[in-house]
Amino acid sequence: MNVKAFLGGLIVLTLIAVGLLGPLLAPYDPNDQQLRAALQPPGWFDGAHFLGTDNLGRDVFSRIIYGARVSLLVAVSVVIVSGLIGISLGAISGYFGGKVDFAIQKLVEVVWAFPALLLAITILAFLGQGLFNLILALVAQRWIQYCRVVRGQTLSLRGRDFVVATRALGASAARIIGRHLLPNLIQASLVIGTFAMASAIVSEASLSFLGLGVPPEIPTWGTMLADGRAYISTAWWLALFPGASIFVTVLGINLLGDALRDILDPKLKRAGMHL
Amino acid sequence: MKFRRGKLCAWIVSLLIVFGITTPLPAQTRVAIGVTETMETFNPYGDSVSLLYGIWCQVMGCLGTYNFDKGDYEGMLAERWEVKDPNTWIFHLRKNARFHDGSPLTAADVVHSFNRIRTDPQSKQKQNIAPIASAAAIDNYTVSFTTKEPTAPLLEYLFDRFIVTSKAIYDKYGADVADRKYPIGAGPYKFKELIPGQRFVIARNLDYPGMKEKKQAPDEMIFRIMREPEQRVTALLNGEIQIAQFIPPHLRDRVEKHPASKIAPVDAVEIMFLAMSPKFKPWDNLLLRQAVAYAIDRDTIIATLLKGEATRLDGPIGAGQYGYDPNLKPKYEYNPQKARELVKQAGFPNGVDVDYYTPVGRYTLDKQISEALVPMLRAVGIRAKLLTPEWATLWADVQAGKTPFYYMGRGSVVDPSVALSQYFETGGSPRIGYSNPKFDKLLAQERQTFEPAKRRKVLAEAMSLLTEEAPAHFLWRHQMLYGIAKNIDYKPTPSGRMFGTEIRVLR
Amino acid sequence: MTAYLLRRLLGTLPVLLLITLLVFALLHAAPGDPASLLLSDATNEADVLEARQRWGLDRPVHVQYLKFISAAFTGDLGRSFRFAQPVTELIAARLPATIELAALAVLLALGVAIPLGVWAGARPNSWVDNLGTSVGLFGISMPNFWMGIMLILLFAGTFHLLPSAGRSTYGVAGSQESGFYLLGSLAAGNWPAVKDALMYMVMPALTLGANMVGILMRITRSSVLEVSHEEYVVTARAKGLAQRSVVWRHVLSNALIPIVTVAGLELGTLLSGSIIVETVFAWPGVGSLLITGVTSRDYPLVTGLVLMYAATFVVINLAIDALYAIIDPRIRY
């Protein structure tokens, strides 16, 4: 165990705890408005509102706590679902090559060329505004990055001695991909995944910038940031705290990801790397 | 390697010198304006945005304009006009009206412009000539318009809206080339540059009658697109622009506290309301609609969220709009107790669940206002769930009459007749789906009444009935704030058009 | 290799067709009607109907599609409803702005990310590594609109160093005919215009680039880390090659595959125009064109833009694949 892994684990555990216990921790109802007490600066430890209030007089601290739940849910589900789709398709595409590769890459090109905004508008217009549909809209575009990167690496790995040797010994394609290729693909996928988590949270903000996010009664860090941007010069706390929450979350996930990679990648251990 | 590094250093140093801020002072006066609308097309008829009408009006020329100071119409290309009979309007053009290339502007150009508005495949301005059946040149300087039916407020349609362009240039080059390469008009300003998505630049035309005397009018006006409010304020305080459109309420202080800038407010002619379509349950229930009216604390929202920058509406319109009656009954005061009782009387002892729709970023603080309305509604038992669909989706549904309960605005309401008919008359549009024969009768009567005092009375009666029936609850009109540099004297107009002749640069 | 690339190019035709079909179908299926969105609120129903007819919206969707496709083969993408101009003209006028901005953003990002990533990967867990990681994470955590407004407040507002929005100053004669302000002015040796163009580009390019630095730096770092334990690198080191030359010659060249992939992907995304950055900085590129197109349901414009993206992506994808083979001779197609 080392400091970074410990720190990462601590952050992520705290976030999970906050997400689960939100209602118990939050001092106020996140949607409780006090219009006449709007835009109060952070009271830190002596005021009624630890992190101040927003333009409708809602408690920023409580909204951050409730927001953690939704933002994390969105981020984690988007990353896992799009990662699963992207990595499998990428590995298959790179390993088999030929017609399979061709077909999958055509699909990638079609989806990739499609404006994310248009995709999101259509999905949300048809299925309605809501958390699940938002996740769907984000996943629809996000698996591509995994797919391309994993395919590139698989192409390179396919010709390596250990893969060629395994194939010569008669191993099935599924076994080669699962046992020999995937562990080597984890590295880059983890990096993409940890970053995709941040961009999923941020994308949710961008969609609500256009009014396409989750319904306003569900507080999310992204919506808070998008709404707070109008007040950057006059009420800095509205955009700063959700922004900082996203940063800390991403940092924690990355630190944990690093530690996880070291455990998963036997090569590094063999080389005597102690992290 | 050493040598290369030396070169790099020299390059960096020269770059630093180049980057030093040395803006030469222009010999002419320039007023840059930060605006929110896009300006994209070279076709003067290809858009329907009040800011652009104003720009094209100054470049190409308009028949006339509404002078908000005098409270009356005045001629630009037309020097006078008369109503020959209820269906025939005669406009007499100025004999000295000339295009920027020196050729005279004649009645043929006006008729050509009428035809172009009507037939140009890209025209988005047909609504401005909707009451007119035909246009004809009587002689070189006289045009007659024949209306489909008697239309007392015809100038409302034509002035500031009807852009006159040259027939000769159009005939010679065709629409595309004429618009792109020869934007030669007859207005008080000349076309200088239009870079789509960036800016529109116009320069003073000293040959226009009276322009030489307007010594303080800016020599050049630069309309620059700036969507973000923080950006317009920053640019204004920086001196990059001299006028900033639409400052949101919470940034007012930043502008006013700066020594070189000030705020100029103007009441918008856009009415904001909550629509409750009686076509849908539970909004078919009059008591529930009235409960909404009592449940909403407009004064608190105006005082807090809007920082006082809105005028409360009692009835569909407010002061300064045609037919306004300060004594219009009923007046809804904030009374949650009464609202709660009305909800119960309406047959919902345990409250009622409704979906509530709002646009985002279309009107001043629209989403925030709607978020603030939700708890007020919930407090009286109307459990509203706020939804924010993308604008195109919402607007399509509203126009098709598929949205039961929504926040919306109706702009350009000076004379309320058209707007009332569009939203509330049977067959006006499916938007609200309200139908009341008594109201229809009043509107029909109002349109046929030419005597102003009588017409006002009928209008007031119709609006009183509408307020009582509450298919919509009228909320307020926003105040638009313009940020203006101290060395500029300008009074913004309710319609949003900006004329160089109304701007004075103080030296 | 060449045969492969040729086959790929031929294979793009059906992809482009499929994309236009999909866009067409989705756009028409999405709620919202261009005529009522674009015409003034005061327009009467008859005129709205007439506009629909004029724009060909009254015909069945498949007829509209076939008409569009047959015209597209002759290079005509139709006329935008919103802008009243041929779509090809609109795109041609806007694309140079996006290309210049995207190129600068990618260059800035690569310039920061690769050295930082290589350094961090060569010395894992050093202070450089930690600093680089934090910078990268910061860049990705901050949404574009937030970062953009902060830069404007700081560099335009507080320091008065840069203009707050737009692409050029009126009156500074730049090369505006080609649309490439920076390149055009550079070629013409018009230094005031070069300065002007750069001043306007700095903030949007930084905002766009900041997002990429994080992921590029991390990908570089982890690839370098991975490769540096491969046998050939260990061998090279054992042979006594200096650390710096080992890193640059052996490690980086082998770590390039994922870097190239991600940079290519990001460049593709940037070329499609960052809607948010272009809106915040009033940058007249294709991104702001797309948002206007989508929100006003401007069918010809959106379809034309998507077609352009598709073509861009196909080219970038091909370039990435070609680069793979150059970087790693073991890759065969």
Side-chain angles (χ1 to χ4, degrees):
Chain A
M1 233 9 182
N2 62 75
V3 181
K4 277 162 85 179
F6 177 72
L7 199 65
L10 190 72
I11 293 175
V12 171
L13 278 179
T14 313
L15 284 170
I16 293 171
V18 167
L20 290 176
L21 304 173
L24 298 175
L25 298 172
Y28 296 89
D29 176 340
N31 285 322
D32 183 32
Q33 300 175 5
Q34 299 295 331
L35 287 178
R36 298 201 179 271
L39 297 177
Q40 287 182 4
W44 303 119
F45 296 101
D46 47 354
H49 299 279
F50 178 51
L51 298 182
T53 59
D54 70 2
N55 51 339
L56 293 170
R58 295 174 296 199
D59 183 53
V60 173
F61 183 53
S62 305
R63 290 180 71 73
I64 295 254
I65 289 175
Y66 273 84
R69 179 182 280 211
V70 186
S71 295
L72 287 177
L73 183 70
V74 170
V76 172
S77 9
V78 168
V79 166
I80 291 181
V81 178
S82 54
L84 282 179
I85 299 174
I87 294 174
S88 343
L89 284 181
I92 291 170
S93 176
Y95 181 79
F96 289 105
K99 288 213 175 77
V100 179
D101 181 36
F102 190 77
I104 292 179
Q105 292 316 304
K106 291 295 120 181
L107 183 67
V108 166
E109 277 165 15
V110 169
V111 180
W112 190 16
F114 218 83
L117 179 71
L118 185 58
L119 211 58
I121 286 179
T122 332
I123 290 178
L124 294 172
F126 278 109
L127 305 177
Q129 232 181 344
L131 206 55
F132 178 76
N133 298 337
L134 179 85
I135 293 172
L136 202 67
L138 290 176
V139 166
Q141 188 89 14
R142 259 150 217 288
W143 56 274
I144 289 169
Q145 209 175 19
Y146 296 94
C147 184
R148 283 294 297 179
V149 170
V150 164
R151 172 179 170 269
Q153 289 204 309
T154 314
L155 276 176
S156 161
L157 288 168
R158 197 174 58 168
R160 302 274 177 100
D161 297 343
F162 71 96
V163 177
V164 175
T166 323
R167 195 170 1 189
L169 289 174
S172 69
R175 189 177 163 80
I176 295 176
I177 293 178
R179 290 294 291 272
H180 300 278
L181 293 184
L182 277 185
N184 285 290
L185 300 172
I186 290 288
Q187 184 94 280
S189 307
L190 263 180
V191 174
I192 298 175
T194 45
F195 275 84
M197 210 167 278
S199 63
I201 298 178
V202 170
S203 300
E204 189 261 314
S206 303
L207 281 179
S208 53
F209 179 88
L210 301 166
L212 284 168
V214 292
E217 62 182 16
I218 306 176
T220 70
W221 293 343
T223 330
M224 290 174 76
L225 250 183
D227 289 351
R229 94 182 184 287
Y231 296 84
I232 286 180
S233 68
T234 47
W236 51 270
W237 56 94
L238 292 190
L240 184 78
F241 294 125
S245 307
I246 297 177
F247 177 65
V248 171
T249 307
V250 175
L251 185 71
I253 290 167
N254 266 275
L255 291 175
L256 204 65
D258 278 0
L260 202 64
R261 188 203 56 209
D262 296 341
I263 297 163
L264 288 174
D265 191 342
K267 257 188 301 177
L268 292 178
K269 262 195 211 139
R270 207 173 46 225
M273 293 290 303
H274 297 293
L275 297 176
Chain B
M1 191 69 195
K2 271 251 164 68
F3 175 68
R4 264 218 211 135
R5 202 164 275 175
K7 242 185 157 176
L8 187 71
C9 283
W11 193 74
I12 289 174
V13 168
S14 62
L15 201 68
L16 285 177
I17 294 168
V18 169
F19 264 95
I21 303 226
T22 46
T23 325
L25 281 172
Q28 297 180 305
T29 53
R30 253 182 209 172
V31 171
I33 302 157
V35 300
T36 52
E37 291 286 357
T38 53
M39 26 214 171
E40 303 283 0
T41 169
F42 289 85
N43 183 341
Y45 306 108
D47 231 317
S48 183
V49 173
S50 52
L51 178 82
L52 280 170
Y53 277 124
I55 299 178
W56 287 119
C57 211
Q58 289 181 88
V59 173
M60 295 302 177
C62 277
L63 287 176
T65 179
Y66 187 79
N67 185 323
F68 285 94
D69 281 339
K70 289 189 204 150
D72 202 359
Y73 294 102
E74 66 182 23
M76 287 177 81
L77 295 175
E79 58 185 357
R80 63 201 161 81
W81 50 91
E82 63 201 270
V83 189
K84 203 171 138 205
D85 61 63
N87 275 325
T88 311
W89 290 63
I90 307 285
F91 290 86
H92 300 276
L93 303 179
R94 270 195 294 112
K95 298 219 165 53
N96 59 353
R98 296 209 174 275
F99 284 108
H100 302 150
D101 62 1
S103 56
L105 182 142
T106 65
D109 295 308
V110 176
V111 175
H112 156 76
S113 303
F114 173 81
N115 289 332
R116 204 169 158 199
I117 294 173
R118 197 169 52 174
T119 57
D120 189 304
Q122 262 65 47
S123 167
K124 298 194 182 68
Q125 303 179 355
K126 284 175 77 172
Q127 70 278 7
N128 301 327
I129 53 164
I132 301 176
S134 66
I138 294 175
D139 61 41
N140 263 351
Y141 299 102
T142 318
V143 188
S144 86
F145 287 117
T146 311
T147 57
K148 293 170 185 160
E149 52 192 61
T151 311
L154 188 71
L155 295 184
E156 170 95 17
Y157 284 90
L158 292 180
F159 279 19
D160 285 310
R161 289 287 179 269
F162 186 94
I163 315 278
V164 180
T165 49
S166 159
K167 180 175 191 299
I169 294 176
Y170 182 89
D171 289 346
K172 191 166 168 197
Y173 300 106
D176 278 344
V177 178
D179 291 346
R180 259 328 254 285
K181 299 249 157 61
Y182 304 96
I184 296 166
Y189 275 79
K190 288 179 184 171
F191 182 100
K192 279 289 268 208
E193 180 179 75
L194 168 58
I195 303 184
Q198 277 194 69
R199 62 171 173 258
F200 201 144
V201 186
I202 57 178
R204 201 140 79 108
N205 169 23
L206 288 172
D207 296 333
Y208 189 83
M211 260 327 240
K212 283 203 184 79
E213 290 73 52
K214 293 213 180 243
K215 289 207 163 41
Q216 286 174 305
D219 292 317
E220 285 184 322
M221 286 171 82
I222 306 169
F223 295 89
R224 289 179 59 183
I225 298 174
M226 296 187 161
R227 293 270 179 69
E228 286 290 315
E230 290 275 13
Q231 178 179 55
R232 292 196 296 280
V233 171
T234 303
L236 175 70
L237 303 190
N238 237 358
E240 279 180 72
I241 57 174
Q242 283 69 47
I243 300 178
Q245 255 192 335
F246 311 144
I247 308 285
H250 61 270
L251 290 178
R252 180 183 192 142
D253 273 1
R254 236 185 108 201
V255 175
E256 276 183 328
K257 281 190 182 139
H258 196 273
S261 59
K262 62 192 172 198
I263 284 280
V266 61
D267 278 324
V269 283
E270 185 159 50
I271 52 176
M272 305 304 305
F273 57 89
L274 276 178
M276 297 167 270
S277 173
K279 271 191 306 196
F280 295 90
K281 281 195 180 308
W283 300 113
D284 55 339
N285 193 315
L286 172 66
L287 296 178
L288 189 69
R289 300 201 300 266
Q290 287 176 335
V292 168
Y294 284 111
I296 289 167
D297 186 357
R298 288 172 289 173
D299 294 337
T300 300
I301 289 180
I302 292 174
T304 55
L305 258 182
L306 294 170
K307 305 228 183 275
E309 270 126 37
T311 322
R312 176 179 147 158
L313 281 179
D314 287 307
I317 54 169
Q321 288 166 305
Y322 187 87
Y324 172 63
D325 173 8
N327 301 314
L328 196 79
K329 295 273 178 308
K331 280 190 176 26
Y332 295 102
E333 295 299 330
Y334 173 54
N335 189 343
Q337 186 56 42
K338 183 160 183 185
R340 223 168 286 134
E341 279 162 24
L342 281 171
V343 173
K344 283 199 187 102
Q345 282 172 32
F348 305 102
N350 303 317
V352 55
D353 290 290
V354 295
D355 283 344
Y356 167 42
Y357 294 82
T358 183
V360 178
R362 191 163 182 88
Y363 307 105
T364 306
L365 296 178
D366 44 15
K367 182 185 159 208
Q368 285 86 338
I369 287 168
S370 289
E371 284 189 275
L373 294 184
V374 167
M376 294 178 181
L377 293 171
R378 291 197 172 194
V380 302
I382 301 169
R383 288 182 298 273
K385 184 182 179 208
L386 182 59
L387 294 166
T388 56
E390 172 244 1
W391 170 253
T393 309
L394 176 62
W395 188 231
D397 284 349
V398 165
Q399 286 194 313
K402 287 189 207 154
T403 315
F405 185 35
Y406 56 91
Y407 179 70
M408 195 62 68
R410 170 60 158 89
S412 2
V413 181
V414 177
D415 184 325
S417 172
V418 177
L420 289 178
S421 155
Q422 186 181 28
Y423 273 87
F424 304 105
E425 193 174 7
T426 308
S429 79
R431 292 179 194 181
I432 290 186
Y434 172 71
S435 178
N436 182 340
K438 200 172 150 200
F439 179 77
D440 295 348
K441 221 177 112 199
L442 284 169
L443 271 197
Q445 189 187 339
E446 162 267 313
R447 277 196 295 267
Q448 286 154 17
T449 311
F450 279 81
E451 209 234 301
K454 249 173 144 178
R455 181 162 174 249
R456 279 168 186 276
K457 216 178 134 247
V458 183
L459 262 176
E461 205 181 323
M463 289 192 281
S464 169
L465 177 65
L466 198 64
T467 313
E468 168 86 41
E469 288 264 287
H473 179 43
F474 300 96
L475 301 169
W476 46 67
R477 286 189 296 160
H478 288 294
Q479 219 171 49
M480 295 301 167
L481 303 180
Y482 285 65
I484 297 177
K486 281 257 168 74
N487 67 333
I488 302 289
D489 181 35
Y490 175 63
K491 208 173 136 231
T493 58
S495 72
R497 67 123 209 260
M498 300 177 105
F499 277 180
T501 45
E502 291 170 352
I503 297 174
R504 296 195 307 136
V505 183
L506 313 173
R507 296 180 211 232
Chain C
M1 176 75 187
T2 319
Y4 170 78
L5 290 182
L6 268 178
R7 207 173 62 219
R8 282 277 299 268
L9 264 180
L10 273 180
T12 54
L13 213 57
V15 172
L16 294 184
L17 270 177
L18 188 61
I19 287 173
T20 55
L21 186 65
L22 264 178
V23 172
F24 226 79
L26 270 187
L27 269 175
H28 282 266
D33 163 48
S36 52
L37 280 166
L38 284 171
L39 297 176
S40 141
D41 197 5
T43 312
N44 59 38
E45 305 274 320
D47 280 345
V48 172
L49 278 179
E50 189 273 334
R52 291 180 54 82
Q53 207 170 22
R54 177 160 27 104
W55 290 337
L57 295 169
D58 54 337
R59 276 170 277 181
V61 180
H62 65 272
V63 176
Q64 291 182 46
Y65 179 71
L66 288 177
K67 194 166 167 274
F68 169 81
I69 278 296
S70 50
F73 272 107
T74 67
D76 173 16
L77 296 178
R79 228 172 220 273
S80 153
F81 302 154
R82 168 75 178 74
F83 299 131
Q85 253 176 292
V87 169
T88 42
E89 223 174 81
L90 276 168
I91 295 179
R94 299 297 198 96
L95 195 56
T98 299
I99 292 179
E100 281 195 344
L101 185 62
L104 187 64
V106 171
L107 282 181
L108 279 177
L110 285 176
V112 175
I114 292 192
L116 215 57
V118 170
W119 201 356
R123 293 192 184 78
N125 298 313
S126 64
W127 64 270
V128 186
D129 185 10
N130 292 340
L131 180 79
T133 305
S134 313
V135 168
L137 293 182
F138 183 76
I140 196 112
S141 311
M142 293 304 111
N144 282 334
F145 58 82
W146 190 83
M147 178 113 175
I149 293 170
M150 285 308 279
L151 287 178
I152 291 173
L153 284 175
L154 215 62
F155 289 101
T158 311
F159 300 135
H160 307 293
L161 278 176
L162 296 168
S164 53
R167 196 175 170 216
S168 64
T169 309
Y170 168 65
V172 178
S175 165
Q176 287 170 351
E177 277 306 306
S178 69
F180 289 97
Y181 291 7
L182 182 62
L183 295 178
S185 316
L186 268 175
N190 181 351
W191 300 112
V194 171
K195 170 199 161 190
D196 188 62
L198 276 175
M199 300 243 298
Y200 281 96
M201 275 171 88
V202 172
M203 287 198 292
L206 270 179
T207 312
L208 275 180
N211 257 246
M212 287 174 59
V213 166
I215 190 149
L216 281 176
M217 182 263 164
R218 292 291 291 180
I219 285 276
T220 312
R221 176 186 179 274
S222 76
S223 309
V224 167
L225 208 55
E226 196 176 11
V227 173
S228 56
H229 303 291
E230 299 269 342
E231 270 134 43
Y232 59 91
V233 175
V234 177
T235 314
R237 207 174 269 144
K239 279 199 295 191
L241 280 179
Q243 170 78 0
R244 183 189 274 188
S245 103
V246 169
V247 167
W248 286 107
R249 191 172 309 156
H250 293 277
V251 174
L252 187 62
S253 67
N254 280 286
L256 271 178
I257 291 238
I259 300 175
V260 164
T261 315
V262 173
L265 281 166
E266 296 277 339
L267 181 68
T269 314
L270 289 193
L271 281 180
S272 71
S274 165
I275 289 164
I276 307 244
V277 168
E278 289 189 3
T279 308
V280 167
F281 288 99
W283 190 263
V286 286
S288 47
L289 206 55
L290 177 72
I291 181 123
T292 325
V294 169
T295 50
S296 57
R297 301 286 188 268
D298 192 334
Y299 302 151
L301 180 60
V302 176
T303 319
L305 278 170
V306 172
L307 205 58
M308 178 211 85
Y309 293 174
T312 316
F313 289 136
V314 165
V315 170
I316 289 182
N317 241 349
L318 271 179
I320 295 176
D321 279 352
L323 271 178
Y324 283 173
I326 294 167
I327 296 165
D328 186 350
R330 278 174 304 206
I331 291 181
R332 300 243 180 283
Y333 295 106

